């Protein structure tokens, strides 16, 4: 899962897509630390939420079938 997030963040600026990765790259290029910090916090919150509410539940459901 972590590798997919990394690939998406890296691919966004290269593909001219305007997502969180592009936002982070623009903030970093501009030296805008508050925007960069906000985007890192947002990404962290999204990863934690998806892991907790989606992947954990799917894993628990799949474990029942062992």
């Amino acid at each position: 899962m972590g590798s997919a997030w990394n690939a998406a963040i890296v691919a966004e600026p290269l593909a001219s897509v305007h997502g969180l990765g592009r936002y982070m790259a623009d903030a970093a290029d501009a030296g805008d630390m508050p925007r960069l910090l906000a985007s890192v916090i947002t990404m962290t919150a999204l990863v934690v939420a998806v892991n907790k509410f989606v992947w954990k539940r799917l894993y628990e459901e799949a474990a029942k079938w062992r």
Side-chain angles (χ1 to χ4, degrees):
M1 176 67 185
S3 297
W5 279 96
N6 291 340
I9 295 298
V10 170
E12 283 178 5
L14 298 175
S16 297
V17 176
H18 299 287
L20 184 57
R22 178 64 180 250
Y23 184 84
M24 291 173 76
D26 289 346
D29 289 343
D32 189 346
M33 293 309 289
R35 266 181 47 195
L36 185 57
L37 181 61
S39 62
V40 169
I41 290 169
T42 300
M43 184 176 68
T44 302
L46 286 170
V47 169
V48 169
V50 169
N51 283 342
K52 182 173 182 172
F53 297 114
V54 177
W55 294 117
K56 182 179 178 192
R57 290 180 183 179
L58 286 174
Y59 178 81
E60 290 169 352
E61 190 63 32
K64 292 178 187 176
W65 294 91
R66 283 187 180 186

